[in-house]
Amino acid sequence: MPTMTMTDPYTCPSCSCGQNARTVAVGPPQLEEERPETARERVNRKWNEVLQETRVAQTGISILFGFLLSVAFTSLFGELSGLDRGIYVVTVVLAALATASLIAPVSLHRFLSGLRVKDELVDAAARLMVCGMVLLALTICGTLLLILRTAVPSLLAEVLVGGVMVWFGLCWYVLPWMIRRRAGRRR
């Protein structure tokens, strides 16, 4: 495969020789022969995947939860109907539960680190992530319902939120289930 050398402030990763050169392959990538993953590599990979997913979800729920908490301190909050206040309270509680579920893997890791229970940790974290994602979807729908009820007629707001909930269900749960099922048939 042809290569070209580009000079930049990059240290050679293979030997740490301190050379400021990088070799870039030009052409189609060569596939390495894949070797089976060891149990330790698999659990480490799964843990890293959970951490990445947690970072994304935590950011989303943190922003949404902060927004919801601030709503109660606005001047328009006093004008909400009893039903809208109920929707608000349920939505804030859902956001708090989602936050707890999505941050729990960090706490689990902190308390269980070094005990050699990473398999159990990954399983528990994955379950908490699924729970947190369900709660996050419900929080988003509750927030959307609250906002839409002030912008459009109530029935339309409920229909729109119902459609959004169906979309969440399709994207977050049905599609992965279908892919998993298809993959299972291939094995």
Side-chain angles (χ1 to χ4, degrees):
M1 173 185 295
T3 60
M4 65 181 196
T5 302
M6 297 177 2
T7 303
D8 65 7
Y10 178 80
T11 303
C12 176
S14 60
C15 65
S16 299
C17 65
Q19 290 181 339
N20 287 337
R22 171 171 61 174
T23 303
V24 178
V26 178
Q30 297 295 317
L31 298 176
E32 292 182 16
E33 197 172 309
E34 290 188 30
R35 65 173 177 78
E37 214 173 25
T38 66
R40 183 177 183 147
E41 289 170 335
R42 185 184 71 254
V43 75
N44 285 334
R45 177 185 50 80
K46 285 183 172 184
W47 177 247
N48 286 330
E49 290 171 357
V50 166
L51 285 179
Q52 288 297 89
E53 294 163 0
T54 300
R55 287 182 186 115
V56 171
Q58 283 176 351
T59 301
I61 193 60
S62 296
I63 292 168
L64 185 55
F65 194 31
F67 163 75
L68 286 169
L69 291 175
S70 70
V71 167
F73 299 102
T74 64
S75 59
L76 295 176
F77 186 77
E79 298 174 21
L80 290 179
S81 69
L83 178 60
D84 288 337
R85 283 179 186 249
I87 293 169
Y88 173 78
V89 168
V90 168
T91 303
V92 168
V93 169
L94 286 169
L97 294 171
T99 301
S101 295
L102 295 171
I103 294 176
V106 175
S107 178
L108 283 173
H109 180 262
R110 185 53 28 226
F111 284 105
L112 301 176
S113 181
L115 297 179
R116 301 187 186 277
V117 292
K118 196 176 264 185
D119 280 323
E120 293 87 351
L121 176 63
V122 168
D123 289 341
R127 291 173 201 267
L128 285 163
M129 286 293 298
V130 170
C131 179
M133 295 302 289
V134 169
L135 292 166
L136 176 58
L138 292 172
T139 301
I140 291 170
C141 288
T143 304
L144 187 59
L145 180 61
L146 189 61
I147 292 169
L148 289 178
R149 282 179 52 87
T150 64
V152 299
S154 183
L155 181 60
L156 179 57
E158 292 164 9
V159 168
L160 290 171
V161 170
V164 169
M165 288 183 79
V166 168
W167 185 249
F168 269 108
L170 289 171
C171 292
W172 287 9
Y173 304 104
V174 174
L175 180 61
W177 176 78
M178 289 173 56
I179 292 170
R180 184 180 202 140
R181 191 170 159 205
R182 246 185 264 143
R185 281 191 221 143
R186 280 187 258 152
R187 290 182 184 163

